[in-house]
Amino acid sequence: MGAWVVLVLSGVLEAVWASALAASDGFRRPVPVAVFAVTAALSLFGLAHAMTSLPTGTAYAVWVGIGGALTVAWSMLTGREAATALKILLVLGIIGCVIGLRLVA
């Protein structure tokens, strides 16, 4: 599988583990803790794999950007975080930057 595909999937898994970490209630709920552990490991493994053929800075910025944008979007969709026009615009900016990094890589 191509490094960019693995990187994008790893970024998605970053959002999953971040959301599971929040749902774990300080590591007191076993199912979210298990989801966190598995998805964090897979996410980091994918990032490491992508870094074998992509520049480290670009790969890390894309991974964090995808994970961060999806985590905020999920939090807004589930009502855990307020959705404001400015916040949505800023998240779209992150997505735009991730696309830009892909285009120049």
Side-chain angles (χ1 to χ4, degrees):
M1 200 179 312
W4 280 101
V5 173
V6 170
L7 184 59
V8 169
L9 292 174
S10 295
V12 171
L13 287 174
E14 184 191 3
V16 173
W17 71 249
S19 298
L21 181 60
S24 76
D25 192 30
F27 288 107
R28 289 187 281 261
R29 297 179 60 219
V31 172
V33 169
V35 171
F36 162 76
V38 170
T39 56
L42 290 172
S43 179
L44 288 168
F45 179 80
L47 174 63
H49 174 75
M51 285 180 171
T52 63
S53 59
L54 298 174
T56 299
T58 299
Y60 184 71
V62 167
W63 181 73
V64 169
I66 290 169
L70 288 175
T71 302
V72 171
W74 179 252
S75 293
M76 288 188 295
L77 285 170
T78 59
R80 291 180 155 228
E81 190 168 330
T84 65
L86 181 58
K87 196 178 287 188
I88 292 167
L89 181 64
L90 291 168
V91 170
L92 290 173
I94 293 171
I95 294 167
C97 290
V98 166
I99 292 168
L101 284 170
R102 172 59 181 112
L103 294 175
V104 299

